[in-house]
Amino acid sequence: MRIGRYLNSKVSWRQPGDFGRYVAEVEASGLKRHLAIGDIHGCYDALRKLCDFVELGPEDTIITLGDYPNPGPDTNAVLDWLIYLQSAYDIRPLRGNHDIMMLNAREDDSSYRKWIDVGGDKTLQSYAPFDGDTGSLSDIPESHWDFLENNLLSYFETETHFFVHANAYPEISLADQPDFMLYWEPYDNPPKHESGKIMVCGHTSQKSGLPIANSNAVCIDTWAHGGGWLSCLHVESGMIWQSNQHGETRRLWLDELRCDDAE
C-alpha cells in the first residue's frame, strides 16, 4: 500500500511503464478498487472525462465526496450522471455543504439568497428550458431533489480508510461527529483518527491543483470549478487520476506529494 510520508511542493512524475505495472498488479490481484472522487461543483465535462480515464469497472466502489452543484456550469448533467452511476455501479455518494445549501434554498428567501451567492444562479441556469434563461427551482426535476435528499451519506468507511466531505474530530467516532465538522470544517493537517483509519476528504479547495496529505489524511478537492482539476484517488495504491474542464488528463502517485506529518 502506498501510504507513507508525503513530500510537499512538487510532483515527480514516474515513467509510463510504472502505470502499466500498476494496472497489471491490480488486475492480477483481483482486489476491488475503492475510488474516491473529489468535489465536482457542476463540472460535468471534467467528471465524464475522469470516469473514462479511470476506466470504471463493475467491481469498483466509487465514493463521491459531495458538493455536486454550483458554481460550475452543468449541475443538471452532473446529477443525471450520478443517478445513472448509482444504477450501474457500486457508488457511495456523500453529502457536502453545497448539497445542503441547495436543499435549504427551497425553505425561505434567506437560504435561497445564500445559495445564489455561492453559485446557485449557475445551477439554475443549467436547468433552464431555453439557453439564456435564468431558470428556477421549479425547473429542477424531482429525481434530482430525491437524490440530494435521500441518497447521500454523511460518511463511508472501509477497513483502512474513512471518507467524509469536510473533516472529522480525531477523538470522536464517525457516528457521533457533528454536522458542522462533517460538512463545513476546513482541512487542517489532522492527527490520526481514533479509529486508526486514514481520512479521505474534500471541501478545502487546493488551488495548486494537487491534493494535500499527511500520513493520517488526504484532501482531494483540487478546485475543478476554479480552473483546477477533478481528482480520483485509488486508496489501495495511492494512484491519482485527474481531469479538467478542458478535457486534459494527468496522473500521479499520492506518495509523490509532500506535506509535513501531523503530530
Side-chain angles (χ1 to χ4, degrees):
M1 181 185 300
R2 283 188 168 88
I3 299 290
R5 296 182 60 85
Y6 310 116
L7 307 172
N8 194 17
S9 74
K10 68 177 183 178
V11 173
S12 139
W13 299 93
R14 301 189 183 209
Q15 296 300 312
D18 288 339
F19 181 72
R21 285 193 293 275
Y22 152 77
V23 172
E25 289 170 3
V26 169
E27 290 179 347
S29 70
L31 292 175
K32 184 171 184 174
R33 296 191 301 178
H34 290 88
L35 302 169
I37 297 177
D39 303 36
I40 299 167
H41 285 299
C43 295
Y44 175 70
D45 290 344
L47 176 61
R48 282 301 310 273
K49 189 70 174 182
L50 186 65
C51 289
D52 291 342
F53 190 35
V54 173
E55 298 183 7
L56 299 179
E59 298 303 314
D60 296 332
T61 293
I62 306 152
I63 306 103
T64 53
L65 298 182
D67 278 6
Y68 310 116
N70 43 267
D74 214 342
T75 293
N76 186 357
V78 165
L79 291 179
D80 266 347
W81 181 247
L82 292 174
I83 291 167
Y84 158 71
L85 286 181
Q86 202 167 40
S87 70
Y89 295 89
D90 180 14
I91 179 173
R92 309 302 174 95
L94 303 190
R95 181 182 301 107
N97 60 300
H98 278 256
D99 312 310
I100 293 170
M101 295 178 78
M102 182 171 171
L103 288 169
N104 288 348
R106 303 174 300 173
E107 304 301 323
D108 53 65
D109 288 343
S110 175
S111 298
Y112 179 82
R113 287 194 299 271
K114 288 178 182 177
W115 178 57
I116 292 297
D117 287 344
V118 297
D121 56 333
K122 301 296 184 185
T123 293
L124 290 179
Q125 287 171 18
S126 76
Y127 287 98
F130 301 103
D131 289 344
D133 284 2
T134 57
S136 68
L137 291 174
S138 62
D139 294 322
I140 301 173
E142 187 57 36
S143 60
H144 289 195
W145 291 121
D146 180 69
F147 177 80
L148 293 173
E149 197 157 25
N150 299 313
N151 288 269
L152 305 187
L153 308 173
S154 55
Y155 64 88
F156 177 71
E157 58 184 323
T158 67
E159 291 183 1
T160 57
H161 294 72
F162 71 89
F163 305 82
V164 293
H165 172 65
N167 210 332
Y169 280 123
E171 70 280 7
I172 297 178
S173 69
L174 293 175
D176 295 325
Q177 295 285 333
D179 285 356
F180 78 85
M181 200 70 180
L182 291 173
Y183 308 129
W184 300 91
E185 188 71 12
Y187 179 93
D188 58 354
N189 194 35
K192 182 72 77 177
H193 187 258
E194 57 92 22
S195 66
K197 298 178 180 182
I198 295 166
M199 180 175 76
V200 181
C201 67
H203 183 63
T204 305
S205 297
Q206 303 305 309
K207 293 179 174 57
S208 66
L210 296 173
I212 188 170
N214 63 30
S215 58
N216 306 317
V218 53
C219 174
I220 61 169
D221 178 355
T222 42
W223 208 41
H225 68 280
W229 298 79
L230 182 62
S231 294
C232 175
L233 167 66
H234 176 214
V235 300
E236 285 83 5
S237 71
M239 169 63 71
I240 298 169
W241 296 263
Q242 294 188 310
S243 64
N244 63 25
Q245 286 286 90
H246 304 294
E248 299 169 322
T249 58
R250 65 185 188 182
R251 56 185 174 236
L252 57 146
W253 296 98
L254 184 58
D255 65 0
E256 291 174 326
L257 303 176
R258 279 192 148 160
C259 191
D260 293 335
D261 277 352
E263 296 181 357

